[in-house]
Amino acid sequence: MHASFPSQDNPLIQKVESVFTFTGDERQALKALPMQLAVIKENEDLMREGDRPSRCCLLLSGFTGTYKVSGGGKRQIVNFGIAGDIPDLHSLHLGVLDNSVRTLTTCQIGFITHEDLRDLCERYPRITAAFWRETLIEGAIFREWMLNIGRREAYSRIAHFFCEMLVRLGAVGLAEDHACDLPITQAELGEALGLTTVHVNRVLQQMRADGLIETKGTQVKIPDWDKLKQVGEFDPTYLHLESDQAAA
Amino acid sequence: MHASFPSQDNPLIQKVESVFTFTGDERQALKALPMQLAVIKENEDLMREGDRPSRCCLLLSGFTGTYKVSGGGKRQIVNFGIAGDIPDLHSLHLGVLDNSVRTLTTCQIGFITHEDLRDLCERYPRITAAFWRETLIEGAIFREWMLNIGRREAYSRIAHFFCEMLVRLGAVGLAEDHACDLPITQAELGEALGLTTVHVNRVLQQMRADGLIETKGTQVKIPDWDKLKQVGEFDPTYLHLESDQAAA
DNA sequence: CGACTCTTTGAATTTTGTCAAACTGAGTGG
DNA sequence: CCACTCAGTTTGACAAAATTCAAAGAGTCG
């Protein structure tokens, strides 16, 4: 609830700047973006399918799950949100939400009104491009997830998941030495990967036995990164973490 | 190869305008967009993962498949392109392509350079928003596909696919009376839905027997739309075909 | 009429799901 | 400090969905 979040540590700016060079003006405008801070407990819906939100959520810390529910009540998590992500940036241009988002852990959130975001984009076309790019990267992650869910068997599917999360968390300073905190339950993992909890559990045991992963509570350690990457057929290109934009 | 494509029938303009009101200036600028026309035969790659294209492909007619390939060589189609789509619009802001696109039928393509697109976006911020929105809708389709592939069994998964294609084709005038031309092989269907050709074939037979679909060559007819929608748990909200934008 | 691609079939196997219950560990209240 | 609770993990036996492999039909095009 404190309004003391230091804007120079804003993980959004940090993340976008890692691939995008802002001018002083642009960075200043981003920092000046009015943001209403809040702390949300775990397992709360931040928004629901069908909502027509008038603001976006910048995730400052914690983990969120973006999900949809099938007719039979089965939940599919389609993305995990980590620090620096705006899980509902698409609501800026799509009136109705076609997905829900809930917190998986306690989350520090910065709410930014669509109005302020639109103003910012209008004044700074390159910031528009940067935000647009963020949504395109999310799309690239979706494509990779479809490949993962549709074509890989459980073992390498789960391996791929760990690879992706480790790289994404590393990019915002939340992973070191091939280790990270990953407060995601086996049930949630199954919901994200199109598997049952039971099957996730059995495969994880096999992966531990094979020395692919080590877990202690929510801490995950990867003893052999190359091996995990190989099992998960992981190539980080789709995360577009390099500054590969053509525009000047 | 003919340069005689009438710009007033440009399916991109038609599609975007169905949810977005352009000013005369904006429409004029869109029509004036230089476009190099080409006809590409079926089963040709328009682009490949790893490419760094300097232009986008506007699909004027025909069908494309956007796909990725797993380590084991299994192909996952992550989206189908139909008239009016720009299957590689994301290449405008992501330097490296993380997917391939190939034609499924003979396609009429309009190539538009990134340079021209960027110029257009710079001059007309609302066109930027319209393009951005298109990529966000694609993302929404990806989310629904993940739900479909991850959580629905083959029977309703395939039903959902037919529902989506019928609605999308209808939106660009390519479906009428719950019938359309869908030149997609059972193998491609399997590649899109995370199923084997054999299994797709068996399920399709069951669906025909149940009176859910009728096929004659590549023509598909839906005798009972409500039933198919129910089986496929289909709710078209995620296609965002209504003009639901908040901005004026 | 081939030559092709696409669809269909059959039998055996594998992966993954289902159901139901027990176990574990962290936090809570008496 | 010790039950007690509760969410999360683990286990076992069984069932179902989907895959694999191999081959035979059908339809289309030159």
Side-chain angles (χ1 to χ4, degrees):
Chain A
M1 289 307 184
H2 295 302
S4 60
F5 197 81
S7 69
Q8 58 273 28
D9 292 339
N10 184 319
L12 171 67
I13 298 180
Q14 185 187 320
K15 191 176 73 154
V16 176
E17 278 210 317
S18 72
V19 293
F20 217 98
T21 319
F22 287 127
T23 66
D25 269 10
E26 286 163 349
R27 183 159 49 253
Q28 202 49 50
L30 261 174
K31 280 187 186 172
L33 205 54
M35 207 161 62
Q36 189 194 330
L37 296 182
V39 174
I40 315 281
K41 268 211 303 276
E42 66 199 73
N43 293 325
E44 302 246 350
D45 274 330
L46 288 175
M47 63 206 81
R48 290 212 181 86
E49 203 172 328
D51 285 356
R52 296 175 155 274
S54 59
R55 58 184 191 180
C56 286
C57 301
L58 168 58
L59 185 53
L60 299 167
S61 71
F63 289 75
T64 63
T66 300
Y67 68 94
K68 301 188 65 136
V69 182
S70 78
K74 293 188 177 174
R75 191 189 310 268
Q76 174 70 40
I77 293 177
V78 298
N79 202 7
F80 290 106
I82 65 174
D85 288 343
I86 303 178
D88 59 346
L89 186 50
H90 50 285
S91 71
L92 192 60
H93 290 294
L94 300 176
V96 187
L97 269 180
D98 56 76
N99 61 261
S100 306
V101 178
R102 67 170 170 165
T103 58
L104 306 182
T105 65
T106 299
C107 288
Q108 208 176 355
I109 308 268
F111 292 104
I112 309 171
T113 68
H114 284 177
E115 208 183 326
D116 288 333
L117 274 173
R118 275 194 261 265
D119 279 358
L120 184 73
C121 286
E122 215 167 292
R123 273 184 293 137
Y124 300 97
R126 294 181 69 255
I127 292 183
T128 306
F131 280 145
W132 186 358
R133 185 173 194 275
E134 285 301 315
T135 64
L136 292 172
I137 292 173
E138 189 183 51
I141 293 175
F142 291 165
R143 284 190 284 273
E144 185 69 26
W145 277 41
M146 279 188 266
L147 176 63
N148 204 31
I149 297 172
R151 295 278 108 163
R152 287 198 261 260
E153 61 174 28
Y155 193 80
S156 65
R157 196 184 304 180
I158 294 179
H160 187 281
F161 164 80
F162 281 118
C163 290
E164 174 179 310
M165 289 313 285
L166 203 74
V167 170
R168 285 179 59 192
L169 288 168
V172 291
L174 292 176
E176 270 184 352
D177 301 325
H178 302 305
C180 64
D181 186 39
L182 201 58
I184 291 171
T185 67
Q186 294 181 3
E188 286 157 352
L189 233 181
E191 288 171 351
L193 298 176
L195 299 167
T196 57
T197 311
V198 172
H199 197 53
V200 167
N201 180 271
R202 291 197 234 266
V203 174
L204 282 179
Q205 287 178 60
Q206 187 59 54
M207 292 178 75
R208 284 190 279 250
D210 294 344
L212 278 184
I213 57 169
E214 289 170 15
T215 59
K216 207 187 297 175
T218 59
Q219 301 294 318
V220 178
K221 203 181 150 198
I222 310 301
D224 188 341
W225 175 240
D226 288 334
K227 196 166 151 199
L228 187 73
K229 265 174 34 180
Q230 188 215 321
V231 169
E233 302 177 348
F234 181 74
D235 171 354
T237 305
Y238 73 95
L239 293 172
H240 297 276
L241 292 169
E242 319 283 323
S243 176
D244 55 7
Q245 44 172 338
Chain B
M1 288 310 183
H2 295 300
S4 61
F5 196 82
S7 69
Q8 58 273 30
D9 293 339
N10 183 319
L12 172 66
I13 299 180
Q14 185 188 321
K15 192 177 71 155
V16 176
E17 278 210 319
S18 72
V19 293
F20 218 96
T21 319
F22 286 128
T23 66
D25 269 11
E26 285 164 349
R27 184 160 47 253
Q28 203 48 51
L30 262 175
K31 280 187 187 172
L33 204 54
M35 207 159 63
Q36 191 194 330
L37 295 182
V39 174
I40 315 280
K41 267 212 303 276
E42 67 199 72
N43 294 323
E44 303 247 349
D45 273 330
L46 289 175
M47 63 206 81
R48 290 214 181 84
E49 203 172 328
D51 285 356
R52 296 176 155 274
S54 59
R55 59 183 190 179
C56 287
C57 300
L58 168 58
L59 186 52
L60 299 168
S61 71
F63 288 75
T64 63
T66 300
Y67 68 94
K68 301 189 64 137
V69 182
S70 77
K74 293 188 178 175
R75 192 189 309 269
Q76 175 71 40
I77 294 178
V78 298
N79 202 7
F80 290 106
I82 66 175
D85 288 344
I86 303 177
D88 60 345
L89 186 49
H90 50 285
S91 71
L92 192 60
H93 289 294
L94 300 176
V96 187
L97 269 180
D98 56 76
N99 60 261
S100 306
V101 178
R102 69 172 167 161
T103 58
L104 305 181
T105 64
T106 299
C107 289
Q108 208 176 354
I109 307 268
F111 292 104
I112 309 171
T113 68
H114 284 177
E115 208 182 327
D116 289 332
L117 274 173
R118 274 193 262 265
D119 279 357
L120 184 73
C121 287
E122 214 167 292
R123 273 184 293 135
Y124 300 96
R126 294 181 69 255
I127 292 183
T128 307
F131 280 145
W132 186 357
R133 186 173 193 275
E134 285 301 316
T135 64
L136 292 173
I137 292 174
E138 190 183 51
I141 293 175
F142 291 165
R143 284 190 284 273
E144 185 70 25
W145 277 41
M146 278 188 267
L147 175 64
N148 205 32
I149 298 171
R151 295 278 111 164
R152 288 198 261 260
E153 61 175 27
Y155 193 80
S156 65
R157 196 185 302 181
I158 294 178
H160 187 282
F161 165 80
F162 280 118
C163 290
E164 173 178 312
M165 289 313 284
L166 203 75
V167 170
R168 284 178 59 192
L169 288 168
V172 291
L174 293 176
E176 270 185 352
D177 300 326
H178 303 303
C180 63
D181 186 38
L182 201 58
I184 292 171
T185 67
Q186 295 181 3
E188 286 157 353
L189 233 180
E191 287 171 351
L193 298 176
L195 299 167
T196 56
T197 311
V198 172
H199 197 53
V200 167
N201 180 269
R202 291 196 235 263
V203 174
L204 281 179
Q205 286 178 61
Q206 187 59 53
M207 292 178 74
R208 283 191 280 249
D210 294 344
L212 278 183
I213 58 169
E214 289 170 16
T215 59
K216 205 187 298 174
T218 59
Q219 301 294 318
V220 178
K221 202 182 148 198
I222 310 300
D224 188 342
W225 175 241
D226 288 333
K227 194 165 150 199
L228 187 74
K229 264 176 31 181
Q230 189 215 320
V231 169
E233 303 177 347
F234 182 73
D235 171 354
T237 305
Y238 73 96
L239 293 172
H240 297 276
L241 291 170
E242 319 283 324
S243 175
D244 56 8
Q245 43 172 337

